[in-house]
Amino acid sequence: MAVGNSLFRLVLATTLLALPLSQALAAPKKCEAAMPYRGAEPISVVIPDAIASPATQPLPVAENLSVQFADLYAKSKATSLTVALANQDGPVWTETQGLENGEKLHYWASVGKSFTAVIIMQLVENNRLSLDDKLSNWIKNVPNGDLITIRMLLDHSAGLYSANEDPSVRTKDKGPLSLKDNIRILNKHGALFCPGRYWRYSNTGYLFLGEIAEQIYGQPLPQIMQTQIFDKIGLQNSRMLAVDDNLSDIAKPQPSDDQKADIRSPGPAGPIAATSSDMIQFWRAFLNGDLVAEETRDQMLSTLYPMFDNNSYYGLGIMAIQVPGDDGKMATWIGHAGGMPGIKAFVMVDPVSRQYASAALTGDGPASAIAYKMLREWQKTEGP
């Protein structure tokens, strides 16, 4: 299926990050001002009003989904796989295979950026932060930090190098980078482009967002996540990873080569371990306005920049993905991709039907294609 290949490339690109950007080769090290965007045309996504959805899931549908899950699990060659599906209301269908003794959670990599973005947007709602605030108000010595705004950190238009791409980091297992290490690496590489000019994915931008939240709250980010997200919407099987966290209850990365994968390394750029069911509950709450107001949610989706291909876009911590709809025309779904060596994860939401799919795996299988195919199988059987 062509869309499966496209979604797989999206997760792969999100994992590798180091995509060539010709404009960056001649980028100035110091910019005098933020610049107007001149990349490919952005899009916006409008979330329709909630529709009534079935409160229960007929048994035959669940049986069909289990058969589909088993088939995709076998074909993916993943060592473990978890999938969840749900309407806006009612029970969450979920199935998990391949976990070892004591493991109950999967790591969601960059899918967790949406959690960090929600924390920031809650601060904006409470007037404790502005999207137009400058990075230098909070963190010093960052290239063009006096021009980079909170909005640019959220939507990856700040022109920041992603410190995890540095060869000295990619080839050695050094564990999580400190804030000081990230700033040092950014200054070594300089700005990729003047803030606002183009789009390029940067994990370091989200590390800065986490640091800003900690400065405002005066608390560690895991504690903030617990209070502002997990406790608020009743997630019982989710947590943000700390740099010294015990990982025994999380499915272990299974790289296909000798690459190292410390899931604590991304920090606020990929902070969440959870069940696939809890991941659905987070996105339900997000669309419902239970984490941020619907107006804020819509703002996060009002300007989405083209990403790595012609079918994926990025807003304020949220991705949009264009996929073939039931009528043969392209439909736009939202969610987020994530991955690192030996781990892939994906969440996708059909905003029209308010139907959700989440998938995470260990190994090198295509979580994105699995989520899409499972959701399509369910829609085909049940109907939106």
Side-chain angles (χ1 to χ4, degrees), residues 52-110:
S53 57
T56 60
Q57 201 170 55
L59 182 60
V61 175
E63 290 175 344
N64 291 342
L65 293 176
S66 292
V67 171
Q68 175 83 338
F69 175 92
D71 180 61
L72 291 171
Y73 180 36
K75 289 178 179 177
S76 72
K77 296 182 169 53
T79 55
S80 70
L81 173 65
T82 186
V83 172
L85 299 166
N87 289 304
Q88 183 64 40
D89 305 299
V92 177
W93 179 91
T94 184
E95 194 154 333
T96 302
Q97 292 289 332
L99 293 179
E100 298 181 354
N101 291 339
E103 296 175 347
K104 65 176 185 177
L105 307 179
H106 276 79
Y107 173 61
W108 293 82
S110 284

Coordinates of all heavy atoms in Angstrom, one line a residue, residues 52-110:
A52 N -21.7 12.1 17.3 CA -22.0 11.0 18.2 C -21.3 9.7 17.6 O -21.4 9.5 16.4 CB -23.5 10.8 18.2
S53 N -20.7 8.9 18.5 CA -20.0 7.7 18.0 C -20.5 6.5 18.9 O -21.0 6.7 20.0 CB -18.5 7.9 18.1 OG -18.1 8.2 19.5
P54 N -20.4 5.3 18.3 CA -21.0 4.2 19.1 C -20.3 4.0 20.4 O -19.1 4.2 20.6 CB -20.6 3.0 18.1 CG -20.4 3.6 16.8 CD -19.9 5.0 17.0
A55 N -21.1 3.7 21.4 CA -20.6 3.5 22.8 C -20.0 2.2 23.0 O -19.3 1.9 24.0 CB -21.6 3.8 23.8
T56 N -20.3 1.2 22.2 CA -19.8 -0.2 22.4 C -19.3 -0.7 21.1 O -19.5 -0.1 20.0 CB -20.9 -1.1 22.8 OG1 -22.0 -1.1 21.9 CG2 -21.5 -0.6 24.2
Q57 N -18.5 -1.7 21.2 CA -17.8 -2.3 20.0 C -18.3 -3.7 19.8 O -18.1 -4.6 20.7 CB -16.3 -2.3 20.2 CG -15.5 -2.4 18.9 CD -14.1 -2.1 19.3 OE1 -13.5 -2.8 20.1 NE2 -13.5 -1.2 18.6
P58 N -19.1 -4.0 18.7 CA -19.6 -5.4 18.5 C -18.5 -6.4 18.5 O -17.4 -6.2 18.0 CB -20.3 -5.3 17.2 CG -20.5 -3.8 16.9 CD -19.4 -3.1 17.6
L59 N -18.8 -7.6 19.1 CA -17.8 -8.6 19.2 C -17.2 -9.0 17.9 O -16.0 -9.2 17.8 CB -18.4 -9.9 19.9 CG -17.5 -11.1 20.1 CD1 -16.3 -10.7 21.0 CD2 -18.2 -12.2 20.7
P60 N -18.0 -9.2 16.8 CA -17.4 -9.5 15.5 C -16.3 -8.6 15.0 O -15.3 -9.0 14.4 CB -18.6 -9.5 14.5 CG -19.7 -9.8 15.4 CD -19.4 -9.1 16.7
V61 N -16.5 -7.3 15.3 CA -15.4 -6.3 15.0 C -14.2 -6.6 15.7 O -13.1 -6.6 15.2 CB -15.9 -4.9 15.3 CG1 -14.8 -3.9 15.0 CG2 -17.1 -4.6 14.4
A62 N -14.3 -6.9 17.1 CA -13.1 -7.1 17.9 C -12.4 -8.4 17.3 O -11.2 -8.4 17.3 CB -13.5 -7.3 19.3
E63 N -13.2 -9.4 16.9 CA -12.5 -10.6 16.4 C -11.8 -10.3 15.1 O -10.7 -10.8 14.9 CB -13.6 -11.7 16.1 CG -14.2 -12.2 17.4 CD -15.4 -13.2 17.2 OE1 -15.9 -13.2 16.0 OE2 -15.7 -13.9 18.1
N64 N -12.4 -9.5 14.2 CA -11.7 -9.1 13.0 C -10.4 -8.4 13.3 O -9.4 -8.6 12.6 CB -12.6 -8.3 12.1 CG -13.8 -9.0 11.6 OD1 -13.8 -10.3 11.5 ND2 -14.8 -8.3 11.2
L65 N -10.5 -7.5 14.3 CA -9.3 -6.7 14.6 C -8.2 -7.6 15.1 O -7.0 -7.4 14.8 CB -9.6 -5.6 15.6 CG -10.6 -4.5 15.1 CD1 -10.9 -3.6 16.2 CD2 -9.9 -3.8 13.9
S66 N -8.5 -8.6 15.9 CA -7.5 -9.5 16.5 C -6.8 -10.3 15.4 O -5.6 -10.5 15.4 CB -8.1 -10.4 17.5 OG -8.5 -9.7 18.6
V67 N -7.6 -10.7 14.4 CA -7.0 -11.4 13.2 C -6.0 -10.5 12.5 O -4.9 -10.9 12.1 CB -8.1 -12.0 12.3 CG1 -7.5 -12.5 11.0 CG2 -8.9 -13.0 13.0
Q68 N -6.5 -9.3 12.2 CA -5.7 -8.3 11.5 C -4.4 -8.0 12.3 O -3.3 -7.9 11.7 CB -6.5 -7.0 11.3 CG -5.7 -5.8 10.7 CD -5.6 -5.9 9.2 OE1 -5.8 -7.0 8.6 NE2 -5.3 -4.8 8.5
F69 N -4.5 -7.8 13.6 CA -3.4 -7.5 14.5 C -2.3 -8.7 14.4 O -1.2 -8.4 14.2 CB -3.8 -7.4 15.9 CG -2.7 -7.2 16.9 CD1 -2.2 -5.9 17.2 CD2 -2.1 -8.3 17.5 CE1 -1.2 -5.8 18.1 CE2 -1.0 -8.1 18.4 CZ -0.6 -6.9 18.7
A70 N -2.8 -9.9 14.5 CA -1.9 -11.0 14.4 C -1.2 -11.1 13.1 O 0.1 -11.4 13.1 CB -2.7 -12.3 14.7
D71 N -1.9 -10.8 12.0 CA -1.3 -10.8 10.7 C -0.2 -9.8 10.6 O 0.9 -10.0 10.1 CB -2.4 -10.7 9.6 CG -1.8 -10.7 8.2 OD1 -1.2 -11.7 7.8 OD2 -1.9 -9.7 7.5
L72 N -0.5 -8.5 11.0 CA 0.4 -7.4 10.9 C 1.6 -7.7 11.8 O 2.8 -7.3 11.4 CB -0.2 -6.1 11.2 CG -1.3 -5.6 10.2 CD1 -2.0 -4.4 10.7 CD2 -0.6 -5.3 8.8
Y73 N 1.4 -8.2 13.0 CA 2.5 -8.5 13.9 C 3.5 -9.5 13.3 O 4.7 -9.3 13.3 CB 1.9 -9.0 15.2 CG 2.9 -9.3 16.3 CD1 4.1 -8.6 16.5 CD2 2.7 -10.4 17.1 CE1 5.0 -8.9 17.5 CE2 3.6 -10.7 18.1 CZ 4.8 -10.0 18.3 OH 5.7 -10.3 19.3
A74 N 3.0 -10.5 12.7 CA 3.8 -11.5 12.1 C 4.6 -11.0 10.9 O 5.8 -11.2 10.7 CB 3.0 -12.7 11.6
K75 N 3.9 -10.2 10.1 CA 4.6 -9.6 8.9 C 5.6 -8.6 9.2 O 6.6 -8.4 8.5 CB 3.5 -9.0 7.9 CG 2.7 -10.1 7.2 CD 1.6 -9.4 6.4 CE 0.8 -10.5 5.7 NZ -0.3 -9.9 4.8
S76 N 5.4 -7.8 10.3 CA 6.3 -6.7 10.7 C 7.6 -7.2 11.2 O 8.6 -6.5 11.2 CB 5.6 -5.9 11.8 OG 5.6 -6.5 13.0
K77 N 7.7 -8.4 11.8 CA 8.9 -9.0 12.4 C 9.3 -8.2 13.6 O 10.4 -8.2 14.0 CB 10.0 -9.1 11.4 CG 9.7 -10.1 10.3 CD 10.9 -10.2 9.3 CE 10.8 -11.3 8.4 NZ 9.5 -11.3 7.6
A78 N 8.3 -7.4 14.2 CA 8.6 -6.7 15.4 C 8.7 -7.7 16.6 O 8.1 -8.8 16.6 CB 7.4 -5.7 15.7
T79 N 9.6 -7.4 17.6 CA 9.7 -8.2 18.7 C 8.5 -8.0 19.7 O 8.1 -9.0 20.4 CB 11.0 -8.0 19.5 OG1 11.1 -6.6 19.8 CG2 12.2 -8.4 18.6
S80 N 8.0 -6.8 19.8 CA 6.8 -6.6 20.5 C 5.9 -5.5 19.8 O 6.5 -4.7 19.0 CB 7.1 -6.1 21.9 OG 7.6 -4.8 21.9
L81 N 4.6 -5.6 20.0 CA 3.7 -4.7 19.3 C 2.5 -4.4 20.2 O 2.0 -5.3 20.8 CB 3.3 -5.3 18.0 CG 2.2 -4.5 17.2 CD1 2.7 -3.1 16.7 CD2 1.7 -5.3 16.0
T82 N 2.1 -3.2 20.3 CA 0.9 -2.8 20.9 C 0.1 -1.9 20.0 O 0.6 -1.0 19.4 CB 1.1 -2.1 22.3 OG1 -0.1 -1.9 23.0 CG2 1.9 -0.8 22.2
V83 N -1.2 -2.1 20.0 CA -2.1 -1.3 19.1 C -3.4 -1.0 20.0 O -3.9 -1.8 20.7 CB -2.5 -2.0 17.8 CG1 -3.6 -1.2 17.1 CG2 -1.3 -2.2 16.9
A84 N -3.9 0.2 19.8 CA -5.2 0.6 20.4 C -6.0 1.3 19.4 O -5.5 2.1 18.6 CB -5.0 1.4 21.7
L85 N -7.3 1.1 19.5 CA -8.3 1.8 18.6 C -9.5 2.3 19.4 O -9.9 1.6 20.4 CB -8.8 0.8 17.5 CG -7.8 0.2 16.5 CD1 -8.4 -0.9 15.8 CD2 -7.3 1.3 15.6
A86 N -10.1 3.4 19.1 CA -11.2 3.9 19.8 C -12.0 4.9 19.1 O -11.5 5.6 18.2 CB -10.7 4.5 21.2
N87 N -13.3 5.0 19.4 CA -14.1 6.2 19.0 C -13.8 7.3 20.0 O -13.0 7.2 21.0 CB -15.6 5.8 19.1 CG -16.0 4.9 17.9 OD1 -15.8 5.2 16.8 ND2 -16.5 3.7 18.3
Q88 N -14.5 8.4 19.9 CA -14.4 9.5 20.8 C -14.9 9.1 22.2 O -14.3 9.6 23.2 CB -15.2 10.7 20.3 CG -15.0 12.0 21.2 CD -13.6 12.5 21.2 OE1 -12.9 12.5 20.2 NE2 -13.2 12.9 22.4
D89 N -15.9 8.2 22.3 CA -16.4 7.8 23.5 C -16.4 6.3 23.6 O -16.1 5.6 22.6 CB -17.8 8.3 23.7 CG -17.9 9.8 23.6 OD1 -17.3 10.5 24.4 OD2 -18.6 10.3 22.7
G90 N -16.6 5.7 24.7 CA -16.8 4.3 24.8 C -15.4 3.6 25.1 O -14.4 4.2 25.3
P91 N -15.4 2.3 25.0 CA -14.2 1.5 25.4 C -13.1 1.7 24.3 O -13.4 2.0 23.2 CB -14.7 0.1 25.4 CG -15.9 0.0 24.5 CD -16.5 1.4 24.6
V92 N -11.9 1.3 24.8 CA -10.7 1.3 23.9 C -10.4 -0.1 23.6 O -10.2 -0.9 24.5 CB -9.5 2.0 24.5 CG1 -8.3 1.9 23.6 CG2 -9.8 3.5 24.8
W93 N -10.4 -0.5 22.3 CA -9.9 -1.8 21.9 C -8.4 -1.8 21.9 O -7.8 -0.9 21.3 CB -10.4 -2.2 20.5 CG -9.9 -3.6 20.1 CD1 -10.6 -4.8 20.3 CD2 -8.7 -3.9 19.4 NE1 -9.8 -5.8 19.8 CE2 -8.7 -5.3 19.2 CE3 -7.7 -3.1 18.9 CZ2 -7.6 -5.9 18.6 CZ3 -6.6 -3.8 18.3 CH2 -6.6 -5.2 18.1
T94 N -7.7 -2.8 22.5 CA -6.3 -2.8 22.5 C -5.8 -4.2 22.6 O -6.4 -5.1 23.1 CB -5.7 -2.0 23.7 OG1 -4.3 -2.0 23.7 CG2 -6.2 -2.7 25.1
E95 N -4.6 -4.4 21.9 CA -4.0 -5.7 22.0 C -2.5 -5.5 22.0 O -2.0 -4.6 21.3 CB -4.4 -6.6 20.8 CG -4.1 -8.1 20.9 CD -5.0 -9.0 20.1 OE1 -6.1 -8.6 19.9 OE2 -4.5 -10.1 19.8
T96 N -1.8 -6.4 22.7 CA -0.3 -6.3 22.9 C 0.3 -7.7 22.8 O -0.3 -8.6 23.5 CB 0.0 -5.6 24.2 OG1 -0.6 -4.3 24.2 CG2 1.6 -5.4 24.3
Q97 N 1.4 -7.8 22.1 CA 2.1 -9.1 22.1 C 3.6 -8.8 22.2 O 4.1 -7.8 21.8 CB 1.8 -9.8 20.8 CG 0.4 -10.4 20.7 CD 0.1 -11.5 21.6 OE1 1.0 -12.3 22.0 NE2 -1.2 -11.6 22.0
G98 N 4.3 -9.8 22.8 CA 5.8 -9.8 22.7 C 6.5 -9.2 23.9 O 7.7 -9.1 23.9
L99 N 5.7 -8.7 24.9 CA 6.4 -8.1 26.1 C 7.0 -9.2 26.9 O 6.5 -10.3 27.0 CB 5.4 -7.3 26.9 CG 4.8 -6.1 26.3 CD1 3.8 -5.4 27.3 CD2 5.9 -5.1 25.9
E100 N 8.2 -8.9 27.5 CA 8.9 -9.8 28.3 C 8.4 -9.7 29.8 O 7.7 -8.7 30.1 CB 10.4 -9.7 28.2 CG 10.9 -9.9 26.8 CD 12.4 -9.8 26.6 OE1 13.0 -9.3 27.6 OE2 12.9 -10.1 25.6
N101 N 8.9 -10.5 30.7 CA 8.6 -10.4 32.1 C 8.8 -9.1 32.7 O 9.9 -8.5 32.6 CB 9.4 -11.5 32.9 CG 9.0 -12.9 32.6 OD1 7.9 -13.1 32.0 ND2 9.9 -13.8 32.8
G102 N 7.7 -8.5 33.3 CA 7.8 -7.2 34.0 C 7.6 -6.0 33.1 O 7.4 -4.9 33.6
E103 N 7.6 -6.2 31.8 CA 7.3 -5.1 30.8 C 5.8 -4.9 30.7 O 5.1 -5.9 30.5 CB 8.0 -5.4 29.5 CG 9.5 -5.5 29.5 CD 10.1 -5.9 28.2 OE1 9.4 -6.3 27.3 OE2 11.4 -5.7 28.1
K104 N 5.4 -3.7 30.7 CA 4.0 -3.4 30.5 C 3.8 -2.1 29.7 O 2.7 -1.8 29.2 CB 3.3 -3.2 31.8 CG 3.7 -2.1 32.7 CD 2.8 -2.0 33.9 CE 3.2 -0.7 34.8 NZ 2.3 -0.6 35.9
L105 N 4.8 -1.3 29.5 CA 4.7 0.0 28.7 C 5.6 -0.1 27.5 O 6.6 -0.9 27.4 CB 5.2 1.1 29.6 CG 4.6 1.3 30.9 CD1 5.2 2.5 31.7 CD2 3.0 1.4 30.8
H106 N 5.3 0.7 26.5 CA 6.1 1.0 25.3 C 6.6 2.4 25.4 O 5.9 3.3 25.9 CB 5.4 0.7 24.0 CG 5.4 -0.7 23.6 ND1 4.5 -1.7 24.2 CD2 6.1 -1.4 22.7 CE1 4.8 -2.9 23.6 NE2 5.7 -2.7 22.8
Y107 N 7.8 2.7 24.8 CA 8.3 4.0 24.6 C 7.8 4.6 23.3 O 7.8 3.9 22.3 CB 9.8 4.0 24.7 CG 10.5 5.3 24.4 CD1 10.3 6.4 25.2 CD2 11.3 5.4 23.3 CE1 10.9 7.6 25.0 CE2 12.0 6.6 23.0 CZ 11.7 7.7 23.9 OH 12.3 8.9 23.6
W108 N 7.4 5.9 23.4 CA 6.7 6.5 22.2 C 7.6 7.5 21.5 O 7.1 8.2 20.5 CB 5.4 7.1 22.6 CG 4.4 6.0 23.0 CD1 4.4 5.4 24.2 CD2 3.4 5.4 22.2 NE1 3.4 4.4 24.2 CE2 2.8 4.4 23.0 CE3 3.0 5.6 20.9 CZ2 1.8 3.6 22.5 CZ3 2.0 4.8 20.4 CH2 1.4 3.8 21.2
A109 N 8.8 7.7 21.9 CA 9.8 8.6 21.2 C 9.1 9.9 20.9 O 8.5 10.5 21.8 CB 10.3 7.9 19.9
S110 N 9.2 10.4 19.7 CA 8.8 11.8 19.4 C 7.3 12.0 19.5 O 6.9 13.2 19.5 CB 9.3 12.2 18.1 OG 10.7 12.5 18.1

